[in-house]
Amino acid sequence: MVIRVAQKPSLSLSLNYSLQHLKTEKMSGTGEKASATTKTPADFLKSIRGRPVVVKLNSGVDYRGILACLDGYMNIAMEQTEEYVNGQLKNKYGDAFIRGNNVLYISTSKTTLGDGA
């Protein structure tokens, strides 16, 4: 018995385009790397360790602080952490640990801590 799952055409096309784009970006016609500037998400996460970041949770709460550590499950350890709810500072923590399944995204902070952006 074979069960087929219907997919949305736009999602399928988008995934196919993304995969094809990644393949052509990674390899040139000779089999060498196409560009030294191609970065993976893992490279990005390694590069921001020790820098100010904004971590947005699924609940909408933002945590801003210094990224101390990150694992493969997106569990995050932060230092000098500030909690923002609806854009307003609610609490300050020395160190904070955020479970990865709550994380919506991680972004580099455009402002320094304490600016209240």
Side-chain angles (χ1 to χ4, degrees):
M1 175 183 226
V2 176
I3 299 174
R4 293 189 152 224
V5 178
Q7 292 182 346
K8 292 182 181 177
S10 61
L11 177 62
S12 178
L13 291 174
S14 176
L15 287 174
N16 288 337
Y17 172 77
S18 297
L19 290 173
Q20 186 62 34
H21 181 68
L22 286 173
K23 286 178 187 175
T24 57
E25 197 174 76
K26 284 192 173 194
M27 299 297 230
S28 67
T30 60
E32 296 178 23
K33 285 229 175 202
S35 171
T37 60
T38 302
K39 290 181 77 174
T40 65
D43 293 335
F44 168 73
L45 293 172
K46 287 177 190 173
S47 72
I48 64 171
R49 189 173 297 149
R51 294 179 51 196
V53 295
V54 175
V55 177
K56 184 152 187 110
L57 304 187
N58 295 328
S59 65
V61 177
D62 290 349
Y63 288 91
R64 300 176 189 178
I66 307 298
L67 181 66
C69 190
L70 179 76
D71 69 8
Y73 295 101
M74 296 291 283
N75 293 321
I76 299 169
M78 296 175 68
E79 300 170 342
Q80 303 172 25
T81 309
E82 299 173 340
E83 179 182 45
Y84 287 83
V85 178
N86 296 327
Q88 294 190 3
L89 179 64
K90 290 295 179 185
N91 217 337
K92 290 187 179 187
Y93 306 102
D95 295 333
F97 180 82
I98 301 171
R99 185 178 163 121
N101 69 332
N102 296 310
V103 176
L104 183 61
Y105 68 78
I106 301 172
S107 173
T108 54
S109 181
K110 290 186 170 84
T111 60
T112 60
L113 296 174
D115 284 353

